[in-house]
Amino acid sequence: MEPLLLGAVILAAGGFAFLNGFHDVSNSVAAAVRTRALTPTVAVLLAALFNLVGALLSTSLALFFTDAGFGLPPGTTGLGILLAALLAAGVWGLFTWYRGKPSSSTHALLGGIIGAGGASGLTDGPAMTGAGEALLLQIVLPLVLSPVVAYLLAYAAVFPATWLLRHRSPGGVNRGNRMAQSVLAGAFALGHGLQDGQRTMAVILLALVGSGYASGSDMPLWVQVFAAVLLTTGSLFGGWRITHTLGHRLARVDPLRGMTAQGVSSAMLFVGAISLHFPLSSTHTMTSAIVGAGANQRFASVQRPQVARILAVWLGTAPVTALLGAVFLLALSPLL
């Protein structure tokens, strides 16, 4: 039974990577398409390429996740928890895509793991141990704080950007900012690959470690390639529902503010992945940066009801996926 469960976890992780790319490609392309810096086709191809490169560049965050001490029990119970969490995250990702709401795949996955782990303890199975402090300080806290930081940085960054370009003509400013957006769209996709591509790698590595097929000290090459290819494939098929929400329904964004939002969110993803080794949600950073940059205008441009609905989705992600993870784990319990 254990090899079958391991295979199911790997397949579900591949589906999660595909859905992650499908769901999150909007974060990379929305601002650039909205301001006509890139055409939709070119933007998606660019995002897919740099997602692939980013996922292949580094595995440090995936190894960090493995070492963070989730306390997954070994054997079939641990595999069942991972499978239930992946299914929960996938269901939530499809629901939020259908509703056109940006949401964090990382929050969904963590919620699913916590819910499935709790359900395992309730069924007298092995419970997760030793994950509390590491999970809170090293994973949950950065994910919660990143939207606030992105909003404030993007709002503040509009001031120096406007001052530096104050003597240029509007046409010249727009052309320059669109060129910068073209570069930053690729940079953000690279950061997304560095961040989100490694979530799938971490799950597969946890499954391999729990089954005794890996030590957890290094990343098998096939796992890295598998996750990178599926993330890229999902990006190529990316859904436009969320792109429309980010580009048209949150705030009125001109090329300067689009460039500012992309620059702030890209920098945060790089710093989080390379310097701090903290997981950051590309969805939270880009959405918050767009709202922050759009809010710094002389007229009201932020659609507050839409922002409130998105915040409700963000607050509901972890509880809902925890409940789904628990339900899926209970359904799988006869096999464990």
Side-chain angles (χ1 to χ4, degrees), residues 62-122:
L63 297 174
F64 163 81
F65 266 92
T66 308
D67 294 336
F70 279 119
L72 282 173
T76 56
T77 303
L79 293 175
I81 290 173
L82 290 176
L83 181 58
L86 288 165
L87 292 174
V91 169
W92 183 249
L94 286 172
F95 172 75
T96 52
W97 163 79
Y98 180 76
R99 300 293 297 176
K101 297 295 187 289
S103 66
S104 169
S105 302
T106 308
H107 270 99
L109 182 61
L110 289 175
I113 289 175
I114 293 170
S120 176
L122 291 175

Side-chain angles (χ1 to χ4, degrees), residues 50-59 193-194 201 221 224-229:
F50 280 97
N51 265 310
L52 176 66
V53 173
L56 292 175
L57 274 180
S58 176
T59 60
L194 284 169
M201 301 177 205
L221 179 61
Q224 190 175 5
V225 173
F226 177 76
V229 169

Side-chain angles (χ1 to χ4, degrees), residues 303-318:
Q303 302 297 318
R304 297 181 186 277
Q306 187 66 240
V307 172
R309 286 191 286 269
I310 290 174
L311 286 175
V313 169
W314 289 2
L315 292 174
T317 294

Side-chain angles (χ1 to χ4, degrees), residues 3-19:
L4 290 177
L5 277 174
L6 176 60
V9 170
I10 293 173
L11 288 176
F16 174 77
F18 178 90
L19 186 59

Side-chain angles (χ1 to χ4, degrees), residues 226-326:
F226 177 76
V229 169
L230 282 168
L231 181 72
T232 302
T233 305
S235 299
L236 289 172
F237 288 88
W240 290 98
R241 292 174 182 264
I242 298 173
T243 301
H244 185 68
T245 298
L246 292 176
H248 296 270
R249 294 181 177 175
L250 284 180
R252 187 178 299 177
V253 177
D254 56 21
L256 183 145
R257 286 165 178 80
M259 180 273 296
T260 302
Q262 286 182 291
V264 166
S265 51
S266 300
M268 287 183 62
L269 293 184
F270 279 111
V271 171
I274 297 172
S275 299
L276 301 178
H277 300 297
F278 279 167
L280 299 179
S281 168
S282 62
T283 299
H284 285 188
T285 53
M286 178 57 82
T287 304
S288 301
I290 288 175
V291 175
N296 191 345
Q297 301 188 57
R298 293 181 179 178
F299 52 88
S301 69
V302 176
Q303 302 297 318
R304 297 181 186 277
Q306 187 66 240
V307 172
R309 286 191 286 269
I310 290 174
L311 286 175
V313 169
W314 289 2
L315 292 174
T317 294
V320 171
T321 52
L323 178 61
L324 288 173

Side-chain angles (χ1 to χ4, degrees), residues 110-269:
L110 289 175
I113 289 175
I114 293 170
S120 176
L122 291 175
T123 57
D124 297 327
M128 292 171 57
T129 58
E133 185 177 352
L135 190 66
L136 175 64
L137 296 179
Q138 298 177 322
I139 296 176
V140 175
L141 196 59
L143 287 170
V144 171
L145 290 178
S146 60
V148 178
V149 174
Y151 176 91
L152 294 176
L153 287 178
Y155 187 94
V158 172
F159 290 113
T162 304
W163 185 82
L164 288 171
L165 299 172
R166 67 191 186 283
H167 294 309
R168 296 186 60 185
S169 66
V173 168
N174 287 337
R175 282 193 300 272
N177 284 319
R178 288 190 179 107
M179 291 176 63
Q181 276 191 278
S182 302
V183 175
L184 290 171
F188 184 88
L190 183 66
H192 180 266
L194 284 169
Q195 285 276 352
D196 287 43
Q198 296 186 61
R199 312 294 193 260
T200 303
M201 301 177 205
V203 170
I204 297 177
L205 186 59
L206 283 169
L208 293 173
V209 170
S211 303
Y213 291 104
S215 64
S217 59
D218 57 358
M219 180 66 63
L221 179 61
W222 72 266
V223 173
Q224 190 175 5
V225 173
F226 177 76
V229 169
L230 282 168
L231 181 72
T232 302
T233 305
S235 299
L236 289 172
F237 288 88
W240 290 98
R241 292 174 182 264
I242 298 173
T243 301
H244 185 68
T245 298
L246 292 176
H248 296 270
R249 294 181 177 175
L250 284 180
R252 187 178 299 177
V253 177
D254 56 21
L256 183 145
R257 286 165 178 80
M259 180 273 296
T260 302
Q262 286 182 291
V264 166
S265 51
S266 300
M268 287 183 62
L269 293 184

